[in-house]
Amino acid sequence: MKAIIRQELLALSRERLPLMLFTVFVSMISVSSLIGFLTKTTVSDVWIRTREAGLTSAPNPFASLSPLYYARNSIIYIILVGTLMAIIAGVSSALRDRKAATIDLILSRPTSRSAYIYGKLIGITIWLSLSLFLVGVIAAVVISIIFGAALPASDYARLAVFFLLALPLLSGFAAIGMFAGLLSKRETSALLLPISFWAFVTFVIPQIGTAARPVALLNPVPLPPTSGGPFGALNFFIGPFAVSEQFKVASGKILNDPDISGDFSKAIISILGFAVLTSFLISMVKRTSIRGVLSE
Amino acid sequence: MNKIFSVARMEILDIRRSKLMLSLLGFFLIAAIVSVVVASIDFGVKADAYKTYTDALAASGITNPATAPQLFPLHLMRAAIEYLEILGALFAIILGYAAIAKEKQRGTLSLLFTRPIGNFTLVLGKLGALALVWLAFVSIVVLATMLTAVIAGHAQLSATDVGRLLLTILGAWIYLLVWTAVAVSIASTSKKLTTALIVSIVLWLLVVLVIPQVGDTMDPDNQVPGGLFKSLQIAKPDETAVLANFTGYNSARDALEISSVTKHFERYTFAFLGIKDQYNQQPIGTVWAGVFINALALWLFAIGTLVISLFTTKPKTLLRTSK
């Protein structure tokens, strides 16, 4: 299995497509802190102007916010860019040996099907954790520069836990990508099916449970379900499957965001459950499917 | 002309036979219908809550000062339009990509170009077919969601509403054509098809999701739940006066937003459907005057991407990149 993990890491570091998404991911996480800073500064300036003009006596809504506020938008980029990066890494990994027609040779060696599949998944997960470590360091440095001083140790710890929490989410989507890549007969459907699944989980499921509109779901703050009607009950049953919304809840709580409401432990169970279920899912792929001919 | 029709007919036949395409389009239609049902139930819940509130006040002898929630049928379509904005663009990319990719994969291009066909025959036939497919698809989605609004939301449509819907169909059709043309161009010029698909998806991610999200995040009013100015209890004229001091910031935000075709589509459709408050229940002429610039931008994006796809999908390019 070690050889498969090593080979997976080597292949991912050489492939251009996951690297392209990784570049977008790193850029967006870096820029998101800056956007948070610009917005906070502007809002504070708006408040100063309105107060000076005697238009309001309300306190500055941003006065007591922690520096971790600047990391708020990273949540949405992990959901939008990070998960797609993970899916593409998973699909590329699953298709690689099938496209190169080396899969028969690999499986002729004393390697079990599960060692092959899980070796690849572990390899991708290590690659994802290295990526998250890098973006976490960048985010911590950018936020410290914006804040003008080193953050309290507890804030760095919260940032670390936040990026650590992203790992099971991304790993789960990578497993979905692998699942599609191992089963699909065509390269196009191997890419499109997990992306459609991602769209379903990110936009459709949360909408059914909360009545939130798709564009509102691009907000890092999850919307609570509409009170009354069937939404409370629907959200109780469907909510845990809206893993991206659960990630927003858990991350917001970790980052001390005062606008976040929701059950933290339920959110954590949902994210970890997603990672476990998807890794179980790929174990069900049969040897004949893995060796199936790719028609493109 | 007959050759263009032949290519178009073949393309439509291929789409009809593709289970993957039909499943994706079916998935979209169901998601759009579900979104209208959800919006209708949501409105019903709010109306019931208002009635309960009014009854409680009446029992206490107090007149309800709040206005009753009013149903504007076209507002129920908001989420469906947002699905077109996000998922529609993604599916338009997939269809555009598939139109070129399948010819490269099957190795039919060399054979096709041994026939006496012009430089633009193939691309015109394919784009023509895709344009027809999108027109049919958008019309079906709008019709189905409107029927759902009438049945599930007990909405009533006026003749003006039908006019607004036709203009919405037109806007959505142009928007999807833009994304299809983009995918056709990328698939034609890429030697590796997987790269073409992923480059298109990265472009979709940036233009459809990231840029509008950054623009919304930079809006000061979006920073506080319920709106910054409402939380500061500032009236609209004062809000405008205060924001006049931040023209640089607002111009940068606006420039970012208008660089995305998605934002133009959103502004155009939200205005005609009355989702944007200032255009709600306004005559079509007034709305048209307000969103003319967005309509123009949509057309320019469409013309630009279609022209690019015409010149990047020539036989010479296709044969070079399919080796």
Side-chain angles (χ1 to χ4, degrees):
Chain A
M1 191 190 265
K2 272 184 190 170
I4 295 169
I5 296 171
R6 213 168 33 242
Q7 171 61 23
E8 191 57 44
L9 283 167
L10 190 69
L12 279 170
S13 65
R14 283 176 179 167
E15 275 177 9
R16 278 186 303 162
L17 298 173
L19 283 180
M20 185 200 293
L21 273 167
F22 173 69
T23 312
V24 176
F25 185 45
V26 171
S27 314
M28 288 319 302
I29 294 281
S30 314
V31 171
S32 72
S33 306
L34 191 67
I35 294 167
F37 168 71
L38 282 172
T39 312
K40 185 186 169 184
T41 310
T42 308
V43 169
S44 295
D45 288 348
V46 166
W47 176 78
I48 291 166
R49 291 259 179 193
T50 51
R51 202 172 166 87
E52 281 172 358
L55 297 170
T56 186
S57 55
N60 182 349
F62 277 7
S64 56
L65 283 183
S66 95
L68 292 178
Y69 171 84
Y70 300 125
R72 192 191 217 193
N73 279 318
S74 302
I75 299 172
I76 210 70
Y77 296 126
I78 283 174
I79 292 169
L80 295 182
V81 190
T83 50
L84 278 180
M85 179 182 82
I87 286 173
I88 286 169
V91 174
S92 306
S93 165
L95 291 179
R96 195 180 304 118
D97 295 326
R98 292 180 68 192
K99 276 166 78 177
T102 49
I103 185 70
D104 288 340
L105 182 66
I106 294 167
L107 292 178
S108 70
R109 310 282 302 159
T111 308
S112 70
R113 177 184 55 95
S114 54
Y116 173 74
I117 291 175
Y118 284 114
K120 277 182 169 292
L121 184 61
I122 293 168
I124 297 171
T125 307
I126 293 171
W127 182 77
L128 289 171
S129 47
L130 291 173
S131 308
L132 285 168
F133 175 75
L134 184 67
V135 292
V137 170
I138 292 172
V141 170
V142 173
I143 293 170
S144 304
I145 292 170
I146 291 169
F147 190 57
L151 307 185
S154 60
D155 281 356
Y156 285 124
R158 281 177 181 279
L159 264 182
V161 174
F162 161 61
F163 282 105
L164 189 66
L165 181 68
L167 189 60
L169 180 80
L170 299 195
S171 172
F173 277 105
I176 294 286
M178 273 188 73
F179 184 69
L182 292 171
L183 279 183
S184 296
K185 289 178 180 166
R186 290 166 159 264
E187 199 174 341
T188 312
S189 46
L191 272 166
L192 294 182
L193 292 174
I195 291 175
S196 302
F197 172 81
W198 167 85
F200 182 70
V201 167
T202 310
F203 297 108
V204 182
I205 296 183
Q207 198 206 7
I208 296 172
T210 63
R213 288 170 293 97
V215 169
L217 294 166
L218 299 177
N219 195 315
V221 179
L223 292 170
T226 303
S227 56
F231 293 108
L234 272 174
N235 196 49
F236 179 79
F237 291 108
I238 294 176
F241 296 101
V243 69
S244 49
E245 290 301 291
Q246 298 298 341
F247 178 70
K248 287 182 194 173
V249 171
S251 306
K253 297 265 180 190
I254 291 167
L255 293 174
N256 244 346
D257 191 328
D259 297 332
I260 302 283
S261 60
D263 189 335
F264 178 72
S265 44
K266 188 176 149 189
I268 295 287
I269 292 168
S270 170
I271 295 162
L272 295 179
F274 173 68
V276 171
L277 269 177
T278 49
S279 60
F280 174 70
L281 191 70
I282 51 169
S283 73
M284 293 167 72
V285 179
K286 290 179 182 164
R287 204 178 177 92
T288 45
S289 300
I290 303 173
R291 294 177 61 187
V293 178
L294 206 60
S295 59
E296 292 164 22
Chain B
M1 202 53 138
N2 276 343
K3 287 170 187 165
I4 296 175
F5 281 132
S6 296
V7 173
R9 209 167 37 236
M10 189 64 207
E11 189 60 38
I12 291 173
L13 198 65
D14 267 354
I15 293 170
R16 273 179 51 198
R17 283 176 180 164
S18 167
K19 282 180 193 163
L20 180 68
M21 292 305 165
L22 293 180
S23 312
L24 288 177
L25 298 179
F27 163 72
F28 184 92
L29 190 61
I30 291 168
I33 290 172
V34 166
S35 75
V36 178
V37 173
V38 168
S40 304
I41 296 171
D42 190 33
F43 179 80
V45 167
K46 282 178 183 143
D48 286 348
Y50 175 82
K51 192 174 177 307
T52 309
Y53 177 61
T54 308
D55 290 348
L57 287 178
S60 315
I62 306 166
T63 313
N64 186 1
T67 49
Q70 201 182 343
L71 177 67
F72 297 108
L74 301 184
H75 289 199
L76 297 176
M77 291 180 64
R78 180 172 181 166
I81 293 295
E82 290 183 0
Y83 275 134
L84 271 175
E85 188 179 318
I86 299 171
L87 299 184
L90 180 64
F91 295 162
I93 283 176
I94 294 165
L95 224 60
Y97 159 84
I100 300 299
K102 67 177 174 233
E103 303 292 352
K104 287 188 173 183
Q105 286 152 0
R106 290 172 188 165
T108 46
L109 285 170
S110 310
L111 180 68
L112 197 65
F113 292 133
T114 58
R115 312 283 304 160
I117 61 169
N119 261 345
F120 301 116
T121 307
L122 183 79
V123 66
L124 281 176
K126 285 190 177 284
L127 285 175
L130 293 171
L132 267 179
V133 167
W134 284 130
L135 188 61
F137 178 70
V138 171
S139 305
I140 290 169
V141 167
V142 171
L143 191 68
T145 50
M146 222 43 261
L147 276 175
T148 312
V150 170
I151 297 165
H154 310 293
Q156 287 183 329
L157 290 182
S158 65
T160 320
D161 287 342
V162 175
R164 291 174 201 276
L165 287 174
L166 288 174
L167 285 162
T168 302
I169 289 174
L170 180 69
W173 179 63
I174 296 169
Y175 176 67
L176 297 180
L177 268 186
V178 168
W179 283 107
T180 293
V182 166
V184 164
S185 301
I186 296 175
S188 301
T189 48
S190 297
K191 280 193 174 175
K192 285 185 84 176
L193 285 170
T194 320
T195 310
L197 185 57
I198 293 175
V199 167
S200 306
I201 289 172
V202 169
L203 196 65
W204 166 79
L205 187 73
L206 291 174
V207 175
V208 176
L209 298 179
V210 174
I211 293 179
Q213 197 273 338
V214 171
D216 279 348
T217 305
M218 286 176 73
D219 185 348
D221 207 32
N222 287 346
Q223 294 307 305
V224 177
L228 171 70
F229 293 99
K230 266 190 185 166
S231 79
L232 296 177
Q233 294 160 341
I234 292 171
K236 194 75 188 169
D238 293 330
E239 175 188 329
T240 313
V242 170
L243 285 177
N245 295 303
F246 298 90
T247 46
Y249 179 84
N250 279 327
S251 304
R253 188 176 80 84
D254 205 43
L256 189 70
E257 284 194 341
I258 61 171
S259 67
S260 164
V261 63
T262 303
K263 213 64 197 175
H264 290 289
F265 169 66
E266 187 182 290
R267 288 177 182 175
Y268 171 92
T269 46
F270 280 18
F272 278 115
L273 295 177
I275 294 164
K276 185 92 176 159
D277 284 345
Q278 74 185 92
Y279 298 116
N280 195 15
Q281 305 305 303
Q282 295 294 316
I284 287 179
T286 311
V287 180
W288 176 252
V291 294
F292 173 73
I293 196 78
N294 302 110
L296 184 68
L298 265 179
W299 277 108
L300 288 177
F301 269 109
I303 292 167
T305 49
L306 286 170
V307 168
I308 291 170
S309 65
L310 279 182
F311 285 96
T312 51
T313 317
K314 283 181 172 177
K316 199 176 159 187
T317 319
L318 286 170
L319 288 172
R320 182 171 48 82
T321 54
S322 59
K323 277 175 188 166

